[in-house]
Amino acid sequence: MKKERLVAFFDTIIAIVMTVLVLELPKIHGTTLSAIWENRVHYFAYITTFTLFAVFWDTHHTIFDKVEKVTIKIVRIQIFLLFLNTLFPYITSWVSENPHSYMVECVYIFFLLGANIVYSWLCDELMKADSKNIKLKNTITNLRRHKITTILLSSSLIIGLFNPMFMLIIGFISLSMWYIPMPKIRKNK
């Protein structure tokens, strides 16, 4: 399979999932700011998950700009990652309806961790498939944020024992740090 087809498939699924995500937001009942404020947890869960997809999309394109070889194993890992991503609208809705449930927040964090781990696995397989591609290797090596994200998300499982909402906040922080510019990666283009 050509990388362009895989990237196009990824883009299509991500666009659909992001659309479903916004459709899951509850309707505002009223015309006041307090009516909007009533749905604040739903909006925060939406923004956190939207940030996840924006990060996935941006990072995916940053990496796949340098990919020259795609194997069937890479395609399968990519499809598994997309499968996990398609469940996020459902899980986000569940979290926003139960923001003080430790178990529900744990499921959300486990999905964030799972997506992060599968994405790291995808990066490893991309480097194995094209081990002589220096630009790809440099780009992936510079993405150490996966490790920081994993540490933050894992620590949120403990912090969430005190207040489950902290898990969603830490999830948002761990995803937001991906928006810090990556000058080394951009230079490799």
Side-chain angles (χ1 to χ4, degrees), residues 89-106:
Y90 173 75
I91 295 166
T92 301
S93 177
W94 194 31
V95 163
S96 63
E97 291 169 4
N98 303 285
H100 301 291
S101 168
Y102 180 74
M103 198 248 338
V104 173
E105 295 283 351
C106 279

Side-chain angles (χ1 to χ4, degrees), residues 2-180:
K2 292 183 178 181
K3 80 169 185 177
E4 290 79 15
R5 289 194 65 200
L6 187 62
V7 170
F9 182 64
F10 179 86
D11 287 349
T12 302
I13 298 299
I14 293 297
I16 292 168
V17 170
M18 290 172 95
T19 302
V20 170
L21 189 64
V22 75
L23 294 175
E24 292 291 318
L25 286 174
K27 303 290 183 241
I28 299 170
H29 300 289
T31 58
T32 64
L33 289 176
S34 64
I36 296 171
W37 185 250
E38 287 177 19
N39 292 325
R40 67 189 174 277
V41 175
H42 295 278
Y43 299 139
F44 188 65
Y46 166 77
I47 290 167
T48 301
T49 305
F50 187 90
T51 303
L52 166 75
F53 288 114
V55 165
F56 271 159
W57 184 82
D58 182 51
T59 306
H60 190 267
H61 280 276
T62 300
I63 291 170
F64 270 80
D65 277 348
K66 291 151 188 83
V67 168
E68 294 173 9
K69 295 179 185 176
V70 175
T71 65
I72 190 67
K73 188 172 185 179
I74 290 167
V75 172
R76 289 180 179 152
I77 295 168
Q78 180 81 6
I79 289 171
F80 181 59
L81 180 63
L82 287 171
F83 167 74
L84 289 176
N85 288 341
T86 61
L87 295 172
F88 269 102
Y90 173 75
I91 295 166
T92 301
S93 177
W94 194 31
V95 163
S96 63
E97 291 169 4
N98 303 285
H100 301 291
S101 168
Y102 180 74
M103 198 248 338
V104 173
E105 295 283 351
C106 279
V107 170
Y108 187 80
I109 294 299
F110 279 125
F111 266 82
L112 288 176
L113 278 168
N116 194 46
I117 290 166
V118 172
Y119 207 88
S120 294
W121 179 27
L122 175 65
C123 290
D124 289 345
E125 290 302 321
L126 286 167
M127 286 196 303
K128 285 180 192 173
D130 198 4
S131 60
K132 294 181 179 168
N133 186 336
I134 300 301
K135 286 185 178 183
L136 175 64
K137 186 177 180 180
N138 288 341
T139 299
I140 291 174
T141 302
N142 287 328
L143 289 174
R144 296 186 185 163
R145 295 169 193 206
H146 283 290
K147 294 173 186 169
I148 297 168
T149 301
T150 302
I151 291 167
L152 283 171
L153 292 173
S154 298
S155 68
S156 77
L157 295 170
I158 296 165
I159 295 168
L161 289 168
F162 301 103
N163 183 341
M165 267 305 282
F166 287 143
M167 296 168 79
L168 190 59
I169 292 167
I170 292 170
F172 179 74
I173 291 167
S174 72
L175 295 170
S176 296
M177 72 173 196
W178 284 81
Y179 282 103
I180 298 169

